[in-house]
Amino acid sequence: MILKRCIATAVCCAALSMPSSAWPQTEKPKPKMATPNVPIAPNVSLGALLDLLEKEVVSAADAMPADKYEFAPSGSGEFKGVRSFGSQVKHIAEANYDFFDGWGLSGAVDPKTIE
């Protein structure tokens, strides 16, 4: 395990120490910019971030077969006591409902009813 980490660290250090001329030169696409000098409202940027995170979490939860929701890494070493996949999804849902409680949002759910 330690040998693998040492090798991986050495490879990363070697790659990072290479001069930039050794890396392939590709033209980077220019990022699409919002209208110059027009600030983006916080609710718009935070809403976009929440939408992205929702897609990531929901797609992972949907992709995991129901019989694998109890998966957790082996119970020894640095992974001892970690949550199962299903417990982590439930934790995220409960935390979100708890965090947004009292904001006057529709669709409020009692976190204790989440299964």
Side-chain angles (χ1 to χ4, degrees), residues 5 19 26 34 37 67 87 101 111:
R5 285 186 181 172
T26 58
N37 301 323
D67 61 325
S87 295
D101 184 38

Side-chain angles (χ1 to χ4, degrees), residues 58-79:
V58 171
S59 65
D62 287 342
M64 181 67 85
D67 61 325
K68 303 290 185 193
Y69 260 58
E70 291 306 312
F71 168 78
S74 62
S76 62
E78 61 188 282
F79 296 111

